[in-house]
Amino acid sequence: MSNRKSIAGAVAAAALAMCGVAQAGTADGLSLTRPNYLQDAPAKKPLGDLLDKAGVGKTLDDAGITIGGFVEASWTISDSAPPANAITGRYFDFENQDLTLNQIDLYLERVVDPSKGKFDVGGRIEAIYGGDSRLIHSRDLTNHHGIYYVKPGENVGPDEQFDLNQAYLDFALPVGTGLKLRVGKFVTLLGWEVINPTLNAFYSHSFLFGYAIPLTNTGFLATYVLSPSVTVTGGLTRGWDVSTTDDNGSIDFMGQVVWAVNDKSTLYVNLLTGKDTPGDNDHWRTVIDSSFTTKIADQLSVAINGTYGYQALGGSADNAQWYGLAGYATYTISDMFSPSARVEWFNDVDGYRGLGTNVYEATLGVAIKPLPNDKIGSNLVIRPEVRFDYANDRVYDGGTGYSQATFGVDAIFSF
């Protein structure tokens, strides 16, 4: 009962905080692709300033190389009584009343531009240390004890782990309007939410992120600009969250079409299909994923993400399906405050993705930049949120409840 009172107080406090900010600002704080609350931070972040002072910043700039990263920490409390303090259905925010070091991220990147009509080489290498790494390992790459996928609540290895999140090369080729080839390990094209918290509106993640799609893929992709408004990508990968050792020796096809409908709206359509059941080269898994985003006004951006997945099982087992929708809205009140809302429904009645029922959630949160005009402080973002989950079956409170409510907050410092 005390936890429920804490949640109620948190909900009220968050609502008052959102309603109490009346002055509208001029800062947009949004991109057409994703709300990125750090994009208005200084071009030279603290690490860049240090590299300049060390005398290597100009050399890196001249080479087009960027080095950066961020630190994220969080805390979540649930009104339910989750067994082993593992909040049901959650992904990175599954630890109840436990201060978590989610990610210390460091990357080195060189971006290539195929439209320049000349050969160029770039890429990105990105490493993460923290609690989130337990949940994003690909097979036989920086995993622990031979287990590459850890479900939230399982205790495999230390709480904080290392993960090589991305490691790829990009090649710009002077073909037509410009062709880009990517080879290596990269975050998946599917979905709206991503591993990198600076590109999401909320600390907690959708069911679609945690249960409907892979996190990373390893292989190659080719990207070509068909017209000023249409870009296509296609390639082959080793499967869902697979890197050095494959599940079954089969490959997947991954494709994407991006249509810039106008200067305010963009449509993404993704396809991933292949034989992804471990040790099974006969039965296909296919996921179709689409997102649409638009700016309704200069300060208001909305998005919708829909996913459908199908797994052929064969034998006497029925084929499995999972599907859902998530909607997002973000409004930038000022340089300091950007409230967001998310509603979602996810169907896993067949139980193939681990939930076994219909689940729904609604989340309200606000991204706060407490020092938006300070050179260093503008890199800090604090995101409190309140969330309510509901299921058609008793899956919460150790299988005794239909619902749960949580309050969570994370802090991100980009460098």
Side-chain angles (χ1 to χ4, degrees):
M1 180 63 70
S2 59
N3 277 356
R4 294 184 184 274
K5 291 180 179 179
S6 300
I7 294 298
V11 172
L16 288 173
M18 289 183 189
C19 296
V21 183
Q23 183 176 359
T26 58
D28 181 13
L30 302 173
S31 67
L32 279 179
T33 53
R34 301 181 189 280
N36 183 350
Y37 301 110
L38 304 188
Q39 68 182 12
D40 292 326
K44 278 288 185 180
K45 295 183 185 294
L47 181 56
D49 286 338
L50 288 176
L51 293 172
D52 284 343
K53 293 177 181 178
V56 298
K58 186 178 185 304
T59 301
L60 293 172
D61 290 342
D62 291 344
I65 296 173
T66 301
I67 301 176
F70 58 84
V71 177
E72 180 197 23
S74 68
W75 185 81
T76 303
I77 183 172
S78 174
D79 76 332
S80 67
N85 270 334
I87 303 173
T88 302
R90 300 299 185 83
Y91 212 71
F92 295 145
D93 62 329
F94 72 91
E95 293 176 297
N96 183 45
Q97 301 188 61
D98 182 58
L99 184 62
T100 301
L101 173 62
N102 294 88
Q103 299 185 30
I104 302 176
D105 178 280
L106 182 65
Y107 70 86
L108 184 150
E109 182 178 44
R110 185 175 189 275
V111 177
V112 300
D113 184 358
S115 67
K116 292 183 177 179
K118 63 180 182 179
F119 178 80
D120 200 3
V121 180
R124 182 181 180 106
I125 183 167
E126 183 174 17
I128 295 174
Y129 176 81
D132 292 357
S133 293
R134 293 169 291 178
L135 308 171
I136 63 174
H137 294 311
S138 60
R139 180 176 289 280
D140 287 346
L141 186 67
T142 63
N143 55 316
H144 284 259
H145 308 294
I147 298 176
Y148 74 102
Y149 176 73
V150 181
K151 294 180 180 179
E154 290 184 350
N155 184 20
V156 179
D159 286 349
E160 285 76 38
Q161 300 180 15
F162 170 82
D163 186 75
L164 185 61
N165 185 29
Q166 299 192 89
Y168 60 79
L169 291 173
D170 282 339
F171 300 90
L173 304 177
V175 177
T177 58
L179 177 67
K180 183 175 75 175
L181 296 181
R182 175 165 294 178
V183 180
K185 183 190 179 193
F186 37 82
V187 294
T188 188
L189 298 179
L190 281 68
W192 181 247
E193 298 182 19
V194 293
I195 296 170
N196 184 336
T198 72
L199 300 177
N200 298 320
F202 302 96
Y203 165 51
S204 71
H205 282 72
S206 65
F207 294 117
L208 292 178
F209 171 87
Y211 292 91
I213 61 174
L215 298 173
T216 62
N217 300 95
T218 300
F220 76 88
L221 297 173
T223 300
Y224 189 78
V225 178
L226 287 180
S227 72
S229 61
V230 178
T231 301
V232 296
T233 298
L236 302 176
T237 77
R238 303 197 72 180
W240 287 44
D241 303 302
V242 171
S243 288
T244 58
T245 301
D246 211 334
D247 282 326
N248 53 18
S250 296
I251 58 176
D252 283 4
F253 170 78
M254 177 182 284
Q256 181 184 69
V257 177
V258 180
W259 177 29
V261 181
N262 51 47
D263 63 348
K264 297 183 181 296
S265 305
T266 307
L267 175 67
Y268 305 80
V269 180
N270 304 300
L271 170 68
L272 180 62
T273 185
K275 302 169 185 177
D276 286 296
T277 305
D280 183 346
N281 283 320
D282 296 321
H283 301 101
W284 289 71
R285 180 184 303 170
T286 299
V287 176
I288 301 171
D289 172 84
S290 182
S291 298
F292 178 77
T293 179
T294 187
K295 279 188 176 182
I296 295 178
D298 288 342
Q299 294 169 270
L300 177 62
S301 176
V302 299
I304 186 169
N305 175 216
T307 305
Y308 171 81
Y310 175 87
Q311 173 67 56
L313 296 176
S316 59
D318 292 332
N319 298 328
Q321 301 179 79
W322 59 95
Y323 43 89
L325 287 170
Y328 304 81
T330 297
Y331 186 84
T332 300
I333 296 175
S334 67
D335 291 344
M336 187 177 293
F337 297 100
S338 296
S340 296
R342 177 182 63 204
V343 292
E344 180 187 15
W345 156 66
F346 181 62
N347 181 308
D348 182 40
V349 172
D350 291 341
Y352 189 77
R353 301 306 301 161
L355 293 173
T357 187
N358 277 287
V359 289
Y360 312 83
E361 60 100 354
T363 306
L364 292 175
V366 57
I368 304 170
K369 298 178 73 169
L371 300 169
N373 300 316
D374 181 77
K375 184 176 182 181
I376 302 297
S378 59
N379 293 285
L380 174 65
V381 177
I382 300 171
R383 302 185 300 182
E385 68 168 53
V386 289
R387 173 168 168 168
F388 179 75
D389 297 338
Y390 179 81
N392 284 357
D393 298 286
R394 298 179 188 269
V395 297
Y396 303 113
D397 288 344
T400 63
Y402 288 99
S403 65
Q404 66 183 6
T406 60
F407 170 78
V409 60
D410 73 340
I412 307 167
F413 182 79
S414 180
F415 56 82

PDB file of all heavy atoms in Angstrom, residues 97-119:
ATOM      1  N   GLN A  97      13.130  -0.145  -7.557  1.00  0.00           N
ATOM      2  CA  GLN A  97      13.786   0.548  -6.452  1.00  0.00           C
ATOM      3  C   GLN A  97      15.280   0.226  -6.377  1.00  0.00           C
ATOM      4  O   GLN A  97      15.824  -0.042  -5.301  1.00  0.00           O
ATOM      5  CB  GLN A  97      13.102   0.205  -5.124  1.00  0.00           C
ATOM      6  CG  GLN A  97      11.631   0.573  -5.089  1.00  0.00           C
ATOM      7  CD  GLN A  97      11.019   0.399  -3.721  1.00  0.00           C
ATOM      8  OE1 GLN A  97      11.450   1.038  -2.760  1.00  0.00           O
ATOM      9  NE2 GLN A  97      10.010  -0.458  -3.610  1.00  0.00           N
ATOM     10  N   ASP A  98      15.923   0.286  -7.533  1.00  0.00           N
ATOM     11  CA  ASP A  98      17.351   0.002  -7.585  1.00  0.00           C
ATOM     12  C   ASP A  98      18.020   1.067  -8.453  1.00  0.00           C
ATOM     13  O   ASP A  98      17.709   1.194  -9.638  1.00  0.00           O
ATOM     14  CB  ASP A  98      17.606  -1.392  -8.168  1.00  0.00           C
ATOM     15  CG  ASP A  98      19.085  -1.733  -8.181  1.00  0.00           C
ATOM     16  OD1 ASP A  98      19.704  -1.723  -7.106  1.00  0.00           O
ATOM     17  OD2 ASP A  98      19.625  -2.010  -9.280  1.00  0.00           O
ATOM     18  N   LEU A  99      18.910   1.836  -7.873  1.00  0.00           N
ATOM     19  CA  LEU A  99      19.648   2.840  -8.632  1.00  0.00           C
ATOM     20  C   LEU A  99      20.544   2.129  -9.642  1.00  0.00           C
ATOM     21  O   LEU A  99      21.366   1.282  -9.270  1.00  0.00           O
ATOM     22  CB  LEU A  99      20.481   3.715  -7.701  1.00  0.00           C
ATOM     23  CG  LEU A  99      21.234   4.879  -8.351  1.00  0.00           C
ATOM     24  CD1 LEU A  99      20.252   5.872  -8.987  1.00  0.00           C
ATOM     25  CD2 LEU A  99      22.111   5.585  -7.324  1.00  0.00           C
ATOM     26  N   THR A 100      20.369   2.440 -10.922  1.00  0.00           N
ATOM     27  CA  THR A 100      21.008   1.689 -11.990  1.00  0.00           C
ATOM     28  C   THR A 100      21.915   2.582 -12.822  1.00  0.00           C
ATOM     29  O   THR A 100      21.508   3.668 -13.246  1.00  0.00           O
ATOM     30  CB  THR A 100      19.949   1.055 -12.921  1.00  0.00           C
ATOM     31  OG1 THR A 100      19.104   0.198 -12.158  1.00  0.00           O
ATOM     32  CG2 THR A 100      20.609   0.240 -14.030  1.00  0.00           C
ATOM     33  N   LEU A 101      23.140   2.136 -13.037  1.00  0.00           N
ATOM     34  CA  LEU A 101      24.009   2.745 -14.040  1.00  0.00           C
ATOM     35  C   LEU A 101      23.688   2.063 -15.362  1.00  0.00           C
ATOM     36  O   LEU A 101      24.132   0.952 -15.623  1.00  0.00           O
ATOM     37  CB  LEU A 101      25.485   2.546 -13.678  1.00  0.00           C
ATOM     38  CG  LEU A 101      26.498   2.991 -14.743  1.00  0.00           C
ATOM     39  CD1 LEU A 101      26.392   4.490 -15.014  1.00  0.00           C
ATOM     40  CD2 LEU A 101      27.914   2.616 -14.327  1.00  0.00           C
ATOM     41  N   ASN A 102      22.876   2.714 -16.178  1.00  0.00           N
ATOM     42  CA  ASN A 102      22.410   2.075 -17.411  1.00  0.00           C
ATOM     43  C   ASN A 102      23.492   1.973 -18.470  1.00  0.00           C
ATOM     44  O   ASN A 102      23.773   0.888 -18.987  1.00  0.00           O
ATOM     45  CB  ASN A 102      21.211   2.845 -17.976  1.00  0.00           C
ATOM     46  CG  ASN A 102      20.003   2.772 -17.094  1.00  0.00           C
ATOM     47  OD1 ASN A 102      19.847   3.593 -16.206  1.00  0.00           O
ATOM     48  ND2 ASN A 102      19.154   1.787 -17.309  1.00  0.00           N
ATOM     49  N   GLN A 103      24.065   3.120 -18.825  1.00  0.00           N
ATOM     50  CA  GLN A 103      25.019   3.114 -19.932  1.00  0.00           C
ATOM     51  C   GLN A 103      26.104   4.170 -19.729  1.00  0.00           C
ATOM     52  O   GLN A 103      25.801   5.316 -19.401  1.00  0.00           O
ATOM     53  CB  GLN A 103      24.318   3.406 -21.267  1.00  0.00           C
ATOM     54  CG  GLN A 103      23.250   2.414 -21.678  1.00  0.00           C
ATOM     55  CD  GLN A 103      22.692   2.701 -23.058  1.00  0.00           C
ATOM     56  OE1 GLN A 103      23.373   3.231 -23.943  1.00  0.00           O
ATOM     57  NE2 GLN A 103      21.427   2.355 -23.266  1.00  0.00           N
ATOM     58  N   ILE A 104      27.333   3.751 -19.917  1.00  0.00           N
ATOM     59  CA  ILE A 104      28.429   4.662 -20.215  1.00  0.00           C
ATOM     60  C   ILE A 104      28.810   4.361 -21.654  1.00  0.00           C
ATOM     61  O   ILE A 104      29.330   3.291 -21.961  1.00  0.00           O
ATOM     62  CB  ILE A 104      29.640   4.467 -19.285  1.00  0.00           C
ATOM     63  CG1 ILE A 104      29.230   4.655 -17.828  1.00  0.00           C
ATOM     64  CG2 ILE A 104      30.756   5.428 -19.657  1.00  0.00           C
ATOM     65  CD1 ILE A 104      30.359   4.385 -16.849  1.00  0.00           C
ATOM     66  N   ASP A 105      28.495   5.270 -22.534  1.00  0.00           N
ATOM     67  CA  ASP A 105      28.636   5.045 -23.971  1.00  0.00           C
ATOM     68  C   ASP A 105      29.799   5.884 -24.504  1.00  0.00           C
ATOM     69  O   ASP A 105      29.938   7.061 -24.169  1.00  0.00           O
ATOM     70  CB  ASP A 105      27.337   5.437 -24.677  1.00  0.00           C
ATOM     71  CG  ASP A 105      27.416   5.284 -26.190  1.00  0.00           C
ATOM     72  OD1 ASP A 105      27.982   6.189 -26.850  1.00  0.00           O
ATOM     73  OD2 ASP A 105      26.902   4.288 -26.710  1.00  0.00           O
ATOM     74  N   LEU A 106      30.614   5.272 -25.341  1.00  0.00           N
ATOM     75  CA  LEU A 106      31.712   5.978 -26.008  1.00  0.00           C
ATOM     76  C   LEU A 106      31.760   5.527 -27.453  1.00  0.00           C
ATOM     77  O   LEU A 106      31.735   4.328 -27.743  1.00  0.00           O
ATOM     78  CB  LEU A 106      33.054   5.677 -25.326  1.00  0.00           C
ATOM     79  CG  LEU A 106      34.276   6.404 -25.907  1.00  0.00           C
ATOM     80  CD1 LEU A 106      34.150   7.917 -25.696  1.00  0.00           C
ATOM     81  CD2 LEU A 106      35.557   5.878 -25.283  1.00  0.00           C
ATOM     82  N   TYR A 107      31.799   6.487 -28.371  1.00  0.00           N
ATOM     83  CA  TYR A 107      31.827   6.144 -29.788  1.00  0.00           C
ATOM     84  C   TYR A 107      32.867   6.967 -30.537  1.00  0.00           C
ATOM     85  O   TYR A 107      33.244   8.076 -30.120  1.00  0.00           O
ATOM     86  CB  TYR A 107      30.452   6.346 -30.436  1.00  0.00           C
ATOM     87  CG  TYR A 107      30.037   7.790 -30.584  1.00  0.00           C
ATOM     88  CD1 TYR A 107      30.421   8.540 -31.697  1.00  0.00           C
ATOM     89  CD2 TYR A 107      29.259   8.410 -29.607  1.00  0.00           C
ATOM     90  CE1 TYR A 107      30.049   9.871 -31.833  1.00  0.00           C
ATOM     91  CE2 TYR A 107      28.880   9.732 -29.739  1.00  0.00           C
ATOM     92  CZ  TYR A 107      29.278  10.461 -30.848  1.00  0.00           C
ATOM     93  OH  TYR A 107      28.919  11.777 -30.970  1.00  0.00           O
ATOM     94  N   LEU A 108      33.324   6.423 -31.625  1.00  0.00           N
ATOM     95  CA  LEU A 108      34.182   7.105 -32.593  1.00  0.00           C
ATOM     96  C   LEU A 108      33.529   6.932 -33.948  1.00  0.00           C
ATOM     97  O   LEU A 108      33.209   5.810 -34.346  1.00  0.00           O
ATOM     98  CB  LEU A 108      35.596   6.527 -32.583  1.00  0.00           C
ATOM     99  CG  LEU A 108      36.644   7.205 -33.478  1.00  0.00           C
ATOM    100  CD1 LEU A 108      38.032   7.055 -32.865  1.00  0.00           C
ATOM    101  CD2 LEU A 108      36.651   6.609 -34.891  1.00  0.00           C
ATOM    102  N   GLU A 109      33.304   8.034 -34.678  1.00  0.00           N
ATOM    103  CA  GLU A 109      32.522   7.979 -35.904  1.00  0.00           C
ATOM    104  C   GLU A 109      33.100   8.891 -36.974  1.00  0.00           C
ATOM    105  O   GLU A 109      33.599   9.985 -36.685  1.00  0.00           O
ATOM    106  CB  GLU A 109      31.080   8.392 -35.611  1.00  0.00           C
ATOM    107  CG  GLU A 109      30.150   8.331 -36.818  1.00  0.00           C
ATOM    108  CD  GLU A 109      28.725   8.706 -36.458  1.00  0.00           C
ATOM    109  OE1 GLU A 109      28.531   9.696 -35.723  1.00  0.00           O
ATOM    110  OE2 GLU A 109      27.797   7.997 -36.896  1.00  0.00           O
ATOM    111  N   ARG A 110      33.020   8.417 -38.206  1.00  0.00           N
ATOM    112  CA  ARG A 110      33.299   9.257 -39.363  1.00  0.00           C
ATOM    113  C   ARG A 110      32.165   9.050 -40.362  1.00  0.00           C
ATOM    114  O   ARG A 110      31.936   7.935 -40.841  1.00  0.00           O
ATOM    115  CB  ARG A 110      34.630   8.922 -40.023  1.00  0.00           C
ATOM    116  CG  ARG A 110      34.978   9.894 -41.152  1.00  0.00           C
ATOM    117  CD  ARG A 110      36.365   9.640 -41.744  1.00  0.00           C
ATOM    118  NE  ARG A 110      36.719  10.714 -42.654  1.00  0.00           N
ATOM    119  CZ  ARG A 110      36.371  10.755 -43.938  1.00  0.00           C
ATOM    120  NH1 ARG A 110      35.653   9.755 -44.457  1.00  0.00           N
ATOM    121  NH2 ARG A 110      36.710  11.767 -44.702  1.00  0.00           N
ATOM    122  N   VAL A 111      31.419  10.109 -40.648  1.00  0.00           N
ATOM    123  CA  VAL A 111      30.255  10.040 -41.529  1.00  0.00           C
ATOM    124  C   VAL A 111      30.688  10.272 -42.969  1.00  0.00           C
ATOM    125  O   VAL A 111      31.501  11.165 -43.249  1.00  0.00           O
ATOM    126  CB  VAL A 111      29.209  11.094 -41.114  1.00  0.00           C
ATOM    127  CG1 VAL A 111      28.029  11.077 -42.072  1.00  0.00           C
ATOM    128  CG2 VAL A 111      28.744  10.842 -39.684  1.00  0.00           C
ATOM    129  N   VAL A 112      30.159   9.458 -43.886  1.00  0.00           N
ATOM    130  CA  VAL A 112      30.444   9.639 -45.309  1.00  0.00           C
ATOM    131  C   VAL A 112      29.193  10.166 -46.009  1.00  0.00           C
ATOM    132  O   VAL A 112      28.071   9.920 -45.574  1.00  0.00           O
ATOM    133  CB  VAL A 112      30.909   8.334 -45.980  1.00  0.00           C
ATOM    134  CG1 VAL A 112      32.181   7.822 -45.328  1.00  0.00           C
ATOM    135  CG2 VAL A 112      29.817   7.269 -45.920  1.00  0.00           C
ATOM    136  N   ASP A 113      29.408  10.899 -47.102  1.00  0.00           N
ATOM    137  CA  ASP A 113      28.315  11.488 -47.864  1.00  0.00           C
ATOM    138  C   ASP A 113      28.401  11.017 -49.311  1.00  0.00           C
ATOM    139  O   ASP A 113      29.174  11.562 -50.107  1.00  0.00           O
ATOM    140  CB  ASP A 113      28.387  13.014 -47.799  1.00  0.00           C
ATOM    141  CG  ASP A 113      27.211  13.686 -48.490  1.00  0.00           C
ATOM    142  OD1 ASP A 113      26.364  12.972 -49.058  1.00  0.00           O
ATOM    143  OD2 ASP A 113      27.151  14.927 -48.472  1.00  0.00           O
ATOM    144  N   PRO A 114      27.614   9.995 -49.684  1.00  0.00           N
ATOM    145  CA  PRO A 114      27.686   9.465 -51.054  1.00  0.00           C
ATOM    146  C   PRO A 114      27.286  10.476 -52.118  1.00  0.00           C
ATOM    147  O   PRO A 114      27.672  10.341 -53.286  1.00  0.00           O
ATOM    148  CB  PRO A 114      26.701   8.286 -51.027  1.00  0.00           C
ATOM    149  CG  PRO A 114      26.511   7.956 -49.597  1.00  0.00           C
ATOM    150  CD  PRO A 114      26.669   9.239 -48.861  1.00  0.00           C
ATOM    151  N   SER A 115      26.507  11.502 -51.752  1.00  0.00           N
ATOM    152  CA  SER A 115      26.042  12.476 -52.740  1.00  0.00           C
ATOM    153  C   SER A 115      27.173  13.336 -53.300  1.00  0.00           C
ATOM    154  O   SER A 115      26.991  14.023 -54.303  1.00  0.00           O
ATOM    155  CB  SER A 115      24.974  13.383 -52.119  1.00  0.00           C
ATOM    156  OG  SER A 115      25.526  14.210 -51.115  1.00  0.00           O
ATOM    157  N   LYS A 116      28.354  13.296 -52.672  1.00  0.00           N
ATOM    158  CA  LYS A 116      29.480  14.085 -53.167  1.00  0.00           C
ATOM    159  C   LYS A 116      30.105  13.486 -54.417  1.00  0.00           C
ATOM    160  O   LYS A 116      30.960  14.111 -55.048  1.00  0.00           O
ATOM    161  CB  LYS A 116      30.536  14.231 -52.063  1.00  0.00           C
ATOM    162  CG  LYS A 116      30.080  15.092 -50.898  1.00  0.00           C
ATOM    163  CD  LYS A 116      31.181  15.254 -49.873  1.00  0.00           C
ATOM    164  CE  LYS A 116      30.743  16.193 -48.744  1.00  0.00           C
ATOM    165  NZ  LYS A 116      31.811  16.355 -47.719  1.00  0.00           N
ATOM    166  N   GLY A 117      29.710  12.263 -54.777  1.00  0.00           N
ATOM    167  CA  GLY A 117      30.171  11.655 -56.006  1.00  0.00           C
ATOM    168  C   GLY A 117      31.618  11.213 -56.012  1.00  0.00           C
ATOM    169  O   GLY A 117      32.271  11.188 -57.069  1.00  0.00           O
ATOM    170  N   LYS A 118      32.136  10.854 -54.831  1.00  0.00           N
ATOM    171  CA  LYS A 118      33.507  10.359 -54.773  1.00  0.00           C
ATOM    172  C   LYS A 118      33.616   9.261 -53.724  1.00  0.00           C
ATOM    173  O   LYS A 118      32.811   9.178 -52.792  1.00  0.00           O
ATOM    174  CB  LYS A 118      34.484  11.488 -54.441  1.00  0.00           C
ATOM    175  CG  LYS A 118      34.272  12.131 -53.086  1.00  0.00           C
ATOM    176  CD  LYS A 118      35.292  13.230 -52.841  1.00  0.00           C
ATOM    177  CE  LYS A 118      35.123  13.844 -51.451  1.00  0.00           C
ATOM    178  NZ  LYS A 118      36.117  14.904 -51.197  1.00  0.00           N
ATOM    179  N   PHE A 119      34.627   8.430 -53.886  1.00  0.00           N
ATOM    180  CA  PHE A 119      34.845   7.322 -52.957  1.00  0.00           C
ATOM    181  C   PHE A 119      35.302   7.868 -51.608  1.00  0.00           C
ATOM    182  O   PHE A 119      36.139   8.761 -51.519  1.00  0.00           O
ATOM    183  CB  PHE A 119      35.890   6.363 -53.516  1.00  0.00           C
ATOM    184  CG  PHE A 119      36.209   5.217 -52.585  1.00  0.00           C
ATOM    185  CD1 PHE A 119      35.375   4.122 -52.508  1.00  0.00           C
ATOM    186  CD2 PHE A 119      37.344   5.251 -51.781  1.00  0.00           C
ATOM    187  CE1 PHE A 119      35.650   3.063 -51.646  1.00  0.00           C
ATOM    188  CE2 PHE A 119      37.635   4.212 -50.919  1.00  0.00           C
ATOM    189  CZ  PHE A 119      36.789   3.106 -50.858  1.00  0.00           C
TER     190      PHE A 119
END
